């Protein structure tokens, strides 16, 4: 599959999505409904971006976009939310072997 560099505006949209997701993960009780609306809006903007017309939208390319946004200036790692023993727990991806197919589910 041919790879294209992601445009800056698409990288910035993904970075905004990640920041919003992380805020929701860390503080679901503070403005959760508004943060979820923002995530939906950003998801729509990302998936409808003209960039995807060149090579098609796919799960693999979304992963590439997330990685590129994380590596770019101002990027941050997406947190992982687990439901453990009746409560939600948030962890960093570096410490989660189940994240992105790196370990057993």
């Amino acid at each position: 599959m041919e790879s294209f560099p992601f445009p800056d505006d698409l990288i910035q949209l993904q970075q905004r999505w990640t920041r919003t997701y992380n805020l929701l993960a860390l503080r679901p009780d503070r403005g959760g409904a508004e943060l979820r609306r923002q995530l939906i809006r950003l998801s729509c903007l990302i998936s409808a971006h003209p960039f995807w017309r060149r090579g098609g939208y796919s799960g693999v390319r979304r992963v590439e976009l997330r990685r590129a946004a994380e590596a770019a200036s101002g990027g941050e790692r997406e947190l992982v939310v687990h439901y453990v023993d009746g409560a939600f727990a948030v962890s960093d991806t570096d410490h989660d072997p189940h994240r992105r197919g790196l370990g057993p589910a």
Side-chain angles (χ1 to χ4, degrees):
M1 173 181 355
E2 186 179 355
S3 180
F4 299 103
F6 294 103
D8 291 340
D9 65 326
L10 185 54
I11 292 283
Q12 291 166 0
L13 282 170
Q14 181 61 49
Q15 288 175 335
R16 286 175 49 203
W17 188 98
T18 301
R19 280 192 295 278
T20 304
Y21 178 86
N22 288 349
L23 281 172
L24 183 60
L26 292 170
R27 299 180 135 177
D29 56 333
R30 293 197 182 169
E34 178 58 32
L35 291 173
R36 282 187 285 280
R37 280 191 291 273
Q38 286 179 29
L39 283 175
I40 292 168
R41 181 179 173 276
L42 290 167
S43 293
C44 290
L45 290 171
I46 290 168
S47 64
H49 193 279
F51 168 81
W52 303 114
R53 288 186 211 137
R54 292 199 292 178
Y57 183 89
S58 71
V60 170
R61 292 211 168 161
R62 270 308 297 262
V63 170
E64 290 175 358
L65 173 61
R66 280 197 301 271
R67 289 178 179 160
E70 181 181 315
S73 176
E76 65 183 70
R77 188 177 312 271
E78 183 179 320
L79 297 175
V80 179
V81 179
H82 302 276
Y83 192 71
V84 180
D85 296 327
F88 288 102
V90 178
S91 64
D92 187 296
T93 56
D94 279 348
H95 301 99
D96 183 6
H98 301 97
R99 182 73 174 158
R100 297 189 179 136
L102 300 176

